[in-house]
Coordinates of all heavy atoms in Angstrom, one line a residue:
F126 N -38.7 -94.9 -24.7 CA -38.9 -95.5 -25.9 C -40.2 -95.1 -26.6 O -41.2 -95.0 -26.0 CB -39.0 -97.0 -25.8 CG -37.7 -97.7 -25.3 CD1 -37.6 -98.2 -24.0 CD2 -36.6 -97.7 -26.1 CE1 -36.5 -98.8 -23.6 CE2 -35.4 -98.3 -25.7 CZ -35.4 -98.8 -24.4
L127 N -40.0 -94.8 -27.9 CA -41.2 -94.5 -28.7 C -41.5 -95.7 -29.5 O -40.7 -96.6 -29.7 CB -40.9 -93.3 -29.7 CG -40.6 -92.0 -29.0 CD1 -40.2 -91.0 -30.0 CD2 -41.8 -91.5 -28.2
L128 N -42.7 -95.8 -30.1 CA -43.1 -96.9 -30.9 C -42.4 -96.9 -32.2 O -42.4 -95.8 -32.8 CB -44.7 -96.9 -31.0 CG -45.5 -97.0 -29.8 CD1 -47.0 -97.0 -30.1 CD2 -45.2 -98.3 -29.0
G129 N -42.0 -98.0 -32.7 CA -41.3 -98.0 -34.0 C -40.4 -99.2 -34.1 O -40.1 -99.9 -33.2
G130 N -40.0 -99.5 -35.3 CA -39.2 -100.7 -35.7 C -37.8 -100.5 -35.1 O -37.1 -101.5 -34.7
N131 N -37.2 -99.3 -35.1 CA -35.8 -99.2 -34.6 C -35.7 -99.5 -33.1 O -34.7 -100.0 -32.6 CB -35.4 -97.7 -34.9 CG -33.9 -97.5 -34.7 OD1 -33.1 -98.5 -34.6 ND2 -33.5 -96.3 -34.5
N132 N -36.8 -99.2 -32.4 CA -36.8 -99.5 -30.9 C -36.9 -101.0 -30.6 O -36.4 -101.4 -29.6 CB -37.9 -98.7 -30.2 CG -37.7 -97.3 -30.2 OD1 -36.6 -96.8 -30.1 ND2 -38.8 -96.5 -30.4
L133 N -37.4 -101.8 -31.6 CA -37.4 -103.2 -31.4 C -36.0 -103.7 -31.4 O -35.7 -104.7 -30.6 CB -38.3 -103.9 -32.4 CG -39.8 -103.8 -32.2 CD1 -40.5 -104.5 -33.4 CD2 -40.2 -104.4 -30.9
K134 N -35.2 -103.2 -32.2 CA -33.8 -103.6 -32.2 C -33.1 -103.2 -30.9 O -32.3 -104.0 -30.4 CB -33.0 -102.9 -33.4 CG -33.5 -103.4 -34.8 CD -32.8 -102.7 -35.9 CE -33.4 -103.1 -37.2 NZ -32.8 -102.4 -38.3
K135 N -33.4 -102.0 -30.4 CA -32.8 -101.6 -29.1 C -33.2 -102.6 -28.0 O -32.4 -102.9 -27.2 CB -33.2 -100.2 -28.8 CG -32.5 -99.2 -29.7 CD -33.0 -97.8 -29.3 CE -32.5 -96.7 -30.3 NZ -33.0 -95.4 -30.0
V136 N -34.5 -102.9 -28.0 CA -35.0 -103.8 -27.0 C -34.4 -105.2 -27.1 O -34.0 -105.8 -26.1 CB -36.6 -103.9 -27.0 CG1 -37.1 -105.0 -26.1 CG2 -37.2 -102.6 -26.7
S137 N -34.2 -105.6 -28.3 CA -33.5 -107.0 -28.5 C -32.1 -106.9 -28.0 O -31.7 -107.9 -27.4 CB -33.6 -107.3 -30.0 OG -34.9 -107.5 -30.4
V138 N -31.4 -105.9 -28.3 CA -30.0 -105.8 -27.8 C -30.0 -105.7 -26.3 O -29.1 -106.4 -25.6 CB -29.3 -104.5 -28.4 CG1 -28.0 -104.2 -27.7 CG2 -29.1 -104.7 -29.9
I139 N -30.9 -105.0 -25.7 CA -30.9 -104.9 -24.2 C -31.3 -106.3 -23.6 O -30.7 -106.7 -22.6 CB -32.0 -103.9 -23.8 CG1 -31.5 -102.5 -24.1 CG2 -32.3 -104.0 -22.3 CD1 -32.5 -101.4 -23.9
K140 N -32.2 -107.0 -24.3 CA -32.6 -108.3 -23.8 C -31.4 -109.3 -23.9 O -31.1 -110.1 -22.9 CB -33.8 -108.9 -24.5 CG -35.0 -108.2 -24.1 CD -36.3 -108.6 -24.9 CE -36.2 -109.8 -25.7 NZ -37.4 -110.1 -26.5
I141 N -30.6 -109.2 -24.9 CA -29.4 -110.1 -25.1 C -28.4 -109.8 -24.0 O -27.8 -110.7 -23.4 CB -28.9 -110.0 -26.5 CG1 -29.9 -110.6 -27.5 CG2 -27.5 -110.7 -26.6 CD1 -29.5 -110.4 -29.0
L142 N -28.2 -108.5 -23.8 CA -27.2 -108.1 -22.8 C -27.6 -108.6 -21.4 O -26.8 -109.1 -20.6 CB -27.0 -106.6 -22.8 CG -26.2 -106.0 -23.9 CD1 -26.2 -104.5 -23.9 CD2 -24.8 -106.5 -23.9
I143 N -28.9 -108.4 -21.1 CA -29.4 -108.8 -19.7 C -29.3 -110.3 -19.6 O -28.8 -110.8 -18.5 CB -30.8 -108.3 -19.5 CG1 -30.9 -106.8 -19.4 CG2 -31.5 -109.0 -18.3 CD1 -32.2 -106.2 -19.3
A144 N -29.6 -111.1 -20.6 CA -29.5 -112.5 -20.6 C -28.1 -113.0 -20.4 O -27.8 -113.9 -19.5 CB -30.1 -113.1 -21.8
A145 N -27.1 -112.3 -21.0 CA -25.7 -112.7 -20.9 C -25.2 -112.4 -19.4 O -24.5 -113.2 -18.8 CB -24.9 -111.9 -21.9
I146 N -25.7 -111.2 -18.9 CA -25.3 -110.9 -17.5 C -25.9 -111.9 -16.5 O -25.2 -112.3 -15.6 CB -25.7 -109.4 -17.2 CG1 -24.9 -108.4 -18.1 CG2 -25.5 -109.1 -15.7 CD1 -25.4 -107.0 -18.0
V147 N -27.1 -112.2 -16.7 CA -27.8 -113.2 -15.8 C -27.1 -114.5 -15.8 O -26.8 -115.2 -14.8 CB -29.3 -113.3 -16.1 CG1 -29.9 -114.5 -15.4 CG2 -30.0 -112.0 -15.8
I148 N -26.7 -115.0 -17.0 CA -26.1 -116.3 -17.2 C -24.7 -116.2 -16.5 O -24.3 -117.2 -15.7 CB -25.9 -116.7 -18.6 CG1 -27.3 -117.1 -19.2 CG2 -25.0 -117.9 -18.8 CD1 -27.3 -117.3 -20.7
T149 N -24.0 -115.1 -16.7 CA -22.7 -115.0 -16.1 C -22.8 -115.0 -14.5 O -22.0 -115.6 -13.8 CB -22.0 -113.7 -16.6 OG1 -21.9 -113.8 -18.0 CG2 -20.6 -113.6 -16.0
L150 N -23.7 -114.2 -14.0 CA -23.9 -114.1 -12.6 C -24.3 -115.4 -12.0 O -23.9 -115.8 -10.9 CB -24.9 -113.0 -12.2 CG -24.5 -111.6 -12.3 CD1 -25.7 -110.6 -12.1 CD2 -23.4 -111.3 -11.3
S151 N -25.1 -116.1 -12.7 CA -25.6 -117.5 -12.2 C -24.4 -118.4 -12.1 O -24.3 -119.2 -11.1 CB -26.7 -118.0 -13.1 OG -27.8 -117.2 -13.1
F152 N -23.6 -118.5 -13.1 CA -22.4 -119.4 -13.1 C -21.5 -118.9 -12.0 O -20.9 -119.8 -11.3 CB -21.7 -119.4 -14.4 CG -22.3 -120.4 -15.4 CD1 -22.9 -120.0 -16.6 CD2 -22.4 -121.8 -15.0 CE1 -23.4 -120.9 -17.4 CE2 -22.9 -122.7 -15.9 CZ -23.5 -122.2 -17.1
L153 N -21.2 -117.6 -11.8 CA -20.4 -117.2 -10.7 C -20.9 -117.5 -9.4 O -20.1 -117.9 -8.5 CB -20.1 -115.7 -10.9 CG -19.3 -115.2 -12.1 CD1 -19.3 -113.7 -12.1 CD2 -17.9 -115.7 -12.0
G154 N -22.2 -117.5 -9.2 CA -22.8 -117.9 -7.9 C -22.8 -119.4 -7.8 O -22.7 -119.9 -6.6
L155 N -23.0 -120.1 -8.8 CA -23.1 -121.6 -8.8 C -21.7 -122.1 -8.3 O -21.7 -123.1 -7.5 CB -23.5 -122.1 -10.1 CG -23.6 -123.6 -10.3 CD1 -24.8 -124.1 -9.4 CD2 -23.8 -124.0 -11.7
F156 N -20.6 -121.6 -8.8 CA -19.3 -122.1 -8.5 C -18.7 -121.4 -7.3 O -17.5 -121.5 -7.1 CB -18.4 -122.0 -9.7 CG -18.9 -122.9 -10.8 CD1 -19.3 -122.4 -12.1 CD2 -18.9 -124.3 -10.6 CE1 -19.7 -123.3 -13.1 CE2 -19.4 -125.2 -11.7 CZ -19.8 -124.6 -12.9
N157 N -19.5 -120.6 -6.6 CA -19.0 -119.9 -5.4 C -17.9 -118.9 -5.6 O -17.0 -118.8 -4.7 CB -18.7 -120.9 -4.3 CG -19.9 -121.6 -3.7 OD1 -21.0 -120.9 -3.7 ND2 -19.8 -122.8 -3.4
I158 N -17.8 -118.4 -6.8 CA -16.8 -117.3 -7.0 C -17.3 -116.0 -6.4 O -16.5 -115.3 -5.8 CB -16.6 -117.2 -8.5 CG1 -16.0 -118.5 -9.1 CG2 -15.6 -116.0 -8.8 CD1 -15.9 -118.6 -10.6
I159 N -18.6 -115.8 -6.5 CA -19.3 -114.6 -5.9 C -20.3 -115.2 -5.0 O -21.0 -116.2 -5.3 CB -19.9 -113.7 -6.9 CG1 -18.8 -113.1 -7.8 CG2 -20.6 -112.5 -6.2 CD1 -19.4 -112.2 -8.9
N160 N -20.6 -114.6 -3.8 CA -21.6 -115.1 -2.9 C -22.9 -115.2 -3.5 O -23.4 -114.2 -4.2 CB -21.6 -114.2 -1.6 CG -22.4 -114.8 -0.5 OD1 -23.0 -115.9 -0.6 ND2 -22.4 -114.1 0.6
T161 N -23.7 -116.3 -3.3 CA -25.0 -116.4 -3.9 C -26.0 -115.4 -3.3 O -26.9 -115.0 -4.0 CB -25.5 -117.9 -3.6 OG1 -24.5 -118.8 -4.0 CG2 -26.8 -118.2 -4.3
K162 N -25.8 -114.9 -2.1 CA -26.7 -113.9 -1.5 C -26.6 -112.6 -2.3 O -27.4 -111.8 -2.2 CB -26.4 -113.7 -0.1 CG -26.7 -114.9 0.8 CD -26.5 -114.6 2.3 CE -26.9 -115.8 3.1 NZ -26.6 -115.6 4.5
I163 N -25.5 -112.4 -3.1 CA -25.3 -111.2 -3.9 C -25.8 -111.4 -5.3 O -26.5 -110.6 -5.8 CB -23.8 -110.8 -3.9 CG1 -23.4 -110.4 -2.5 CG2 -23.6 -109.6 -4.8 CD1 -21.9 -110.2 -2.3
T164 N -25.5 -112.6 -5.9 CA -25.8 -112.8 -7.3 C -27.3 -113.1 -7.5 O -27.8 -112.6 -8.6 CB -25.0 -114.0 -7.8 OG1 -25.2 -115.2 -7.1 CG2 -23.5 -113.7 -7.8
M165 N -27.9 -113.8 -6.7 CA -29.3 -114.2 -7.0 C -30.3 -113.0 -7.0 O -31.1 -112.9 -7.9 CB -29.8 -115.3 -6.0 CG -29.2 -116.6 -6.3 SD -29.5 -117.2 -8.0 CE -27.8 -117.5 -8.5
P166 N -30.2 -112.1 -6.0 CA -31.1 -110.9 -6.1 C -30.9 -110.1 -7.3 O -31.8 -109.6 -7.9 CB -30.9 -110.1 -4.8 CG -30.3 -111.1 -3.9 CD -29.5 -112.1 -4.7
I167 N -29.6 -109.9 -7.7 CA -29.3 -109.1 -8.9 C -29.8 -109.9 -10.1 O -30.4 -109.2 -11.0 CB -27.8 -108.9 -9.0 CG1 -27.3 -108.0 -7.8 CG2 -27.4 -108.3 -10.3 CD1 -25.8 -107.9 -7.7
S168 N -29.7 -111.2 -10.2 CA -30.2 -111.9 -11.3 C -31.7 -111.8 -11.4 O -32.3 -111.7 -12.5 CB -29.8 -113.4 -11.2 OG -28.4 -113.5 -11.3
L169 N -32.4 -111.9 -10.2 CA -33.9 -111.8 -10.2 C -34.3 -110.4 -10.7 O -35.3 -110.3 -11.4 CB -34.4 -112.1 -8.8 CG -34.7 -113.5 -8.5 CD1 -35.1 -113.6 -7.0 CD2 -35.8 -114.0 -9.3
L170 N -33.6 -109.4 -10.2 CA -33.9 -108.0 -10.7 C -33.7 -107.9 -12.2 O -34.6 -107.3 -12.8 CB -33.0 -107.0 -9.9 CG -33.2 -105.6 -10.2 CD1 -34.5 -105.1 -9.5 CD2 -32.1 -104.8 -9.6
L171 N -32.7 -108.4 -12.7 CA -32.5 -108.3 -14.2 C -33.5 -109.1 -14.9 O -33.9 -108.7 -16.0 CB -31.1 -108.8 -14.5 CG -29.9 -107.8 -14.1 CD1 -28.6 -108.5 -14.3 CD2 -30.0 -106.5 -14.8
L172 N -33.9 -110.3 -14.4 CA -34.9 -111.1 -15.1 C -36.3 -110.4 -15.0 O -37.1 -110.5 -16.0 CB -35.0 -112.5 -14.4 CG -33.9 -113.4 -14.8 CD1 -33.9 -114.7 -13.9 CD2 -33.8 -113.7 -16.2
G173 N -36.6 -109.6 -14.0 CA -37.8 -108.8 -13.9 C -37.8 -107.7 -15.0 O -38.8 -107.5 -15.7
I174 N -36.6 -107.1 -15.1 CA -36.5 -106.1 -16.2 C -36.6 -106.7 -17.5 O -37.2 -106.1 -18.4 CB -35.1 -105.3 -16.0 CG1 -35.1 -104.5 -14.7 CG2 -34.8 -104.4 -17.2 CD1 -33.7 -104.0 -14.3
M175 N -36.1 -107.9 -17.7 CA -36.2 -108.6 -19.0 C -37.7 -108.9 -19.3 O -38.1 -108.8 -20.4 CB -35.3 -109.8 -19.0 CG -35.2 -110.5 -20.3 SD -33.9 -111.7 -20.2 CE -34.2 -112.6 -21.6
S176 N -38.4 -109.3 -18.3 CA -39.8 -109.6 -18.5 C -40.6 -108.4 -18.9 O -41.5 -108.4 -19.7 CB -40.4 -110.2 -17.2 OG -41.8 -110.5 -17.4
I177 N -40.3 -107.2 -18.2 CA -40.9 -106.0 -18.6 C -40.6 -105.6 -20.0 O -41.4 -105.1 -20.8 CB -40.5 -104.9 -17.6 CG1 -41.2 -105.2 -16.2 CG2 -41.0 -103.5 -18.1 CD1 -40.7 -104.3 -15.1
S178 N -39.3 -105.8 -20.5 CA -39.0 -105.5 -21.8 C -39.7 -106.4 -22.8 O -40.1 -106.0 -23.9 CB -37.5 -105.5 -22.0 OG -37.0 -106.8 -21.9
N179 N -39.9 -107.7 -22.4 CA -40.7 -108.6 -23.3 C -42.1 -108.1 -23.4 O -42.7 -108.2 -24.4 CB -40.6 -110.0 -22.7 CG -39.4 -110.7 -23.0 OD1 -38.7 -110.4 -24.0 ND2 -39.0 -111.7 -22.2
G180 N -42.6 -107.6 -22.3 CA -44.0 -107.0 -22.3 C -44.1 -105.8 -23.2 O -45.1 -105.6 -23.9
Y181 N -43.1 -105.0 -23.2 CA -43.0 -103.8 -24.0 C -43.0 -104.2 -25.5 O -43.7 -103.7 -26.3 CB -41.8 -102.9 -23.7 CG -41.6 -101.8 -24.7 CD1 -42.5 -100.7 -24.6 CD2 -40.6 -101.8 -25.6 CE1 -42.3 -99.6 -25.5 CE2 -40.4 -100.7 -26.5 CZ -41.3 -99.7 -26.4 OH -41.1 -98.6 -27.3
E182 N -42.2 -105.3 -25.8 CA -42.1 -105.8 -27.2 C -43.5 -106.4 -27.6 O -43.9 -106.2 -28.7 CB -41.0 -106.8 -27.3 CG -40.7 -107.3 -28.7 CD -39.6 -108.2 -28.7 OE1 -39.1 -108.6 -27.6 OE2 -39.1 -108.5 -29.8
S183 N -44.2 -107.0 -26.7 CA -45.5 -107.6 -27.0 C -46.5 -106.5 -27.2 O -47.4 -106.6 -28.1 CB -46.0 -108.5 -25.9 OG -45.1 -109.6 -25.8
Y184 N -46.4 -105.4 -26.5 CA -47.3 -104.3 -26.6 C -47.1 -103.6 -28.0 O -48.1 -103.2 -28.6 CB -47.0 -103.2 -25.5 CG -47.9 -102.0 -25.6 CD1 -49.2 -102.1 -25.1 CD2 -47.4 -100.8 -26.1 CE1 -50.0 -101.0 -25.2 CE2 -48.2 -99.7 -26.1 CZ -49.5 -99.8 -25.7 OH -50.3 -98.7 -25.7
I185 N -45.9 -103.5 -28.4 CA -45.6 -102.9 -29.8 C -46.2 -103.8 -30.8 O -46.7 -103.3 -31.8 CB -44.1 -102.7 -30.0 CG1 -43.6 -101.6 -29.1 CG2 -43.8 -102.4 -31.4 CD1 -42.1 -101.4 -29.2
N186 N -46.2 -105.2 -30.6 CA -46.7 -106.1 -31.6 C -48.2 -106.3 -31.4 O -48.8 -107.3 -32.0 CB -46.0 -107.4 -31.5 CG -44.6 -107.3 -32.0 OD1 -44.2 -106.5 -32.8 ND2 -43.7 -108.1 -31.4
N187 N -48.9 -105.4 -30.7 CA -50.4 -105.5 -30.5 C -50.9 -106.7 -29.8 O -51.9 -107.2 -30.1 CB -51.1 -105.2 -31.8 CG -50.9 -103.8 -32.3 OD1 -50.8 -102.9 -31.5 ND2 -50.8 -103.7 -33.6
K188 N -50.1 -107.3 -28.9 CA -50.5 -108.4 -28.1 C -50.8 -107.9 -26.7 O -49.9 -108.0 -25.8 CB -49.5 -109.5 -28.1 CG -49.2 -110.1 -29.5 CD -48.1 -111.1 -29.4 CE -47.9 -111.7 -30.8 NZ -46.7 -112.6 -30.8
K189 N -51.9 -107.2 -26.5 CA -52.1 -106.5 -25.3 C -52.2 -107.4 -24.0 O -51.7 -107.1 -23.0 CB -53.4 -105.7 -25.4 CG -53.5 -104.7 -26.6 CD -52.5 -103.7 -26.5 CE -52.7 -102.7 -27.7 NZ -51.5 -102.1 -28.2
G190 N -52.9 -108.5 -24.1 CA -53.1 -109.4 -23.0 C -51.8 -109.9 -22.5 O -51.4 -110.0 -21.3
E191 N -51.0 -110.4 -23.5 CA -49.6 -110.9 -23.2 C -48.7 -109.9 -22.6 O -48.0 -110.2 -21.6 CB -49.0 -111.5 -24.5 CG -47.7 -112.1 -24.3 CD -47.1 -112.6 -25.6 OE1 -47.9 -113.1 -26.5 OE2 -45.9 -112.6 -25.8
S192 N -48.8 -108.7 -23.1 CA -48.0 -107.6 -22.6 C -48.3 -107.2 -21.2 O -47.4 -107.0 -20.3 CB -48.0 -106.4 -23.5 OG -49.3 -105.8 -23.4
I193 N -49.6 -107.2 -20.9 CA -50.0 -106.9 -19.5 C -49.5 -107.9 -18.5 O -49.0 -107.6 -17.4 CB -51.5 -106.7 -19.4 CG1 -51.9 -105.4 -20.1 CG2 -52.0 -106.7 -18.0 CD1 -53.4 -105.2 -20.3
L194 N -49.7 -109.2 -18.9 CA -49.2 -110.3 -18.1 C -47.7 -110.3 -17.8 O -47.2 -110.4 -16.7 CB -49.6 -111.6 -18.7 CG -49.3 -112.9 -17.9 CD1 -50.1 -112.9 -16.6 CD2 -49.5 -114.1 -18.7
L195 N -46.9 -110.0 -18.9 CA -45.5 -110.0 -18.8 C -45.0 -108.8 -17.9 O -44.1 -108.9 -17.1 CB -44.8 -109.9 -20.2 CG -44.8 -111.2 -20.9 CD1 -44.4 -110.9 -22.4 CD2 -43.9 -112.2 -20.3
I196 N -45.6 -107.6 -18.1 CA -45.3 -106.5 -17.3 C -45.6 -106.7 -15.8 O -44.8 -106.4 -15.0 CB -45.9 -105.2 -17.9 CG1 -45.3 -104.8 -19.2 CG2 -45.8 -104.0 -16.9 CD1 -46.0 -103.8 -20.0
L197 N -46.8 -107.2 -15.6 CA -47.1 -107.5 -14.2 C -46.3 -108.5 -13.5 O -45.9 -108.4 -12.3 CB -48.6 -107.9 -14.1 CG -49.6 -106.7 -14.3 CD1 -51.1 -107.3 -14.3 CD2 -49.5 -105.6 -13.4
S198 N -45.9 -109.6 -14.3 CA -45.0 -110.6 -13.7 C -43.6 -110.0 -13.5 O -43.0 -110.4 -12.5 CB -45.0 -111.8 -14.6 OG -44.4 -111.5 -15.8
G199 N -43.2 -109.1 -14.4 CA -41.9 -108.5 -14.2 C -41.8 -107.6 -12.9 O -40.9 -107.7 -12.2
I200 N -42.9 -106.9 -12.7 CA -43.0 -106.1 -11.5 C -43.0 -106.9 -10.3 O -42.4 -106.6 -9.3 CB -44.2 -105.1 -11.6 CG1 -44.0 -104.1 -12.7 CG2 -44.5 -104.5 -10.3 CD1 -45.3 -103.3 -13.0
F201 N -43.7 -108.1 -10.3 CA -43.8 -109.0 -9.2 C -42.4 -109.6 -8.9 O -42.0 -109.7 -7.7 CB -44.8 -110.1 -9.5 CG -44.9 -111.1 -8.4 CD1 -45.5 -110.8 -7.2 CD2 -44.3 -112.4 -8.5 CE1 -45.5 -111.8 -6.1 CE2 -44.3 -113.3 -7.5 CZ -44.9 -113.0 -6.3
V202 N -41.7 -110.0 -9.9 CA -40.3 -110.5 -9.7 C -39.4 -109.5 -9.1 O -38.6 -109.8 -8.2 CB -39.8 -111.1 -11.1 CG1 -38.3 -111.4 -10.9 CG2 -40.6 -112.3 -11.5
I203 N -39.5 -108.3 -9.6 CA -38.6 -107.2 -9.0 C -39.0 -107.0 -7.6 O -38.1 -106.8 -6.7 CB -38.8 -105.9 -9.9 CG1 -38.1 -106.1 -11.2 CG2 -38.2 -104.7 -9.1 CD1 -38.3 -105.0 -12.2
F204 N -40.3 -107.0 -7.3 CA -40.8 -106.8 -5.9 C -40.2 -107.9 -5.0 O -39.7 -107.6 -3.9 CB -42.3 -106.7 -5.9 CG -42.9 -106.7 -4.5 CD1 -42.9 -105.5 -3.8 CD2 -43.5 -107.7 -3.9 CE1 -43.4 -105.4 -2.5 CE2 -44.1 -107.7 -2.7 CZ -44.0 -106.5 -2.0
V205 N -40.3 -109.1 -5.4 CA -39.8 -110.3 -4.7 C -38.3 -110.2 -4.5 O -37.8 -110.4 -3.4 CB -40.2 -111.6 -5.3 CG1 -39.5 -112.8 -4.7 CG2 -41.7 -111.8 -5.2
S206 N -37.6 -109.7 -5.5 CA -36.2 -109.6 -5.4 C -35.8 -108.5 -4.3 O -34.9 -108.8 -3.5 CB -35.6 -109.2 -6.7 OG -34.2 -108.8 -6.6
V207 N -36.5 -107.4 -4.3 CA -36.2 -106.4 -3.4 C -36.6 -106.8 -2.0 O -35.8 -106.6 -1.0 CB -37.0 -105.1 -3.7 CG1 -36.9 -104.0 -2.6 CG2 -36.4 -104.5 -5.0
I208 N -37.7 -107.5 -1.8 CA -38.2 -107.9 -0.5 C -37.2 -109.0 0.1 O -36.8 -108.9 1.3 CB -39.6 -108.5 -0.6 CG1 -40.6 -107.4 -0.8 CG2 -40.0 -109.2 0.7 CD1 -40.7 -106.3 0.2
T209 N -36.8 -109.9 -0.7 CA -35.9 -111.0 -0.2 C -34.5 -110.4 0.1 O -33.8 -111.0 0.9 CB -35.7 -112.2 -1.2 OG1 -35.3 -111.7 -2.5 CG2 -37.1 -112.9 -1.3
T210 N -34.1 -109.3 -0.6 CA -32.8 -108.8 -0.3 C -32.7 -108.0 1.0 O -31.8 -108.2 1.8 CB -32.4 -107.8 -1.5 OG1 -32.4 -108.5 -2.7 CG2 -31.0 -107.2 -1.2
F211 N -33.8 -107.3 1.3 CA -33.7 -106.4 2.5 C -34.4 -107.0 3.7 O -34.3 -106.4 4.8 CB -34.3 -105.0 2.1 CG -33.5 -104.3 1.1 CD1 -34.0 -104.0 -0.1 CD2 -32.2 -103.9 1.4 CE1 -33.2 -103.3 -1.1 CE2 -31.4 -103.2 0.5 CZ -31.9 -102.9 -0.7
F212 N -35.2 -108.1 3.6 CA -35.9 -108.6 4.7 C -35.7 -110.0 5.0 O -35.2 -110.8 4.4 CB -37.4 -108.3 4.6 CG -37.8 -106.9 4.5 CD1 -38.2 -106.3 3.3 CD2 -37.7 -106.1 5.6 CE1 -38.6 -105.0 3.2 CE2 -38.0 -104.7 5.5 CZ -38.5 -104.2 4.3

């Protein structure tokens, strides 16, 4: 991604898609249609990616402190998702 207004639209579309996928996976796991051990790590991974994209959007809007916090928390959530999946 390069800096610019057009990329904010792309980031917003990506965030909406990720949110819809997370909601769908959560409901499928909640009603035991798909095993929760499969849906929850995937949902956490997607939420980490969404947090990183929020950090990128904040970076573009010159909110440096907020962007650093969001990116670091996204990386932490992805790390926790991977660790809980494999260990």
Side-chain angles (χ1 to χ4, degrees):
F126 292 112
L127 298 174
L128 299 177
N131 192 19
N132 289 324
L133 283 178
K134 292 178 185 176
K135 291 179 184 176
V136 171
S137 296
V138 169
I139 290 171
K140 285 175 18 182
I141 291 170
L142 287 174
I143 289 174
I146 292 170
V147 167
I148 290 170
T149 304
L150 282 174
S151 298
F152 276 117
L153 291 174
L155 181 66
F156 296 117
N157 290 325
I158 298 170
I159 299 177
N160 191 358
T161 308
K162 291 181 180 181
I163 296 170
T164 59
M165 287 304 128
I167 294 171
S168 295
L169 271 175
L170 184 70
L171 290 172
L172 287 172
I174 293 170
M175 191 168 162
S176 179
I177 291 172
S178 67
N179 283 336
Y181 174 72
E182 188 175 9
S183 295
Y184 180 77
I185 289 174
N186 293 330
N187 293 322
K188 298 178 182 176
K189 306 296 184 206
E191 182 180 328
S192 67
I193 290 171
L194 182 67
L195 284 168
I196 290 171
L197 289 177
S198 66
I200 291 170
F201 177 74
V202 168
I203 291 172
F204 176 75
V205 168
S206 172
V207 168
I208 292 299
T209 57
T210 301
F211 294 114
F212 297 109

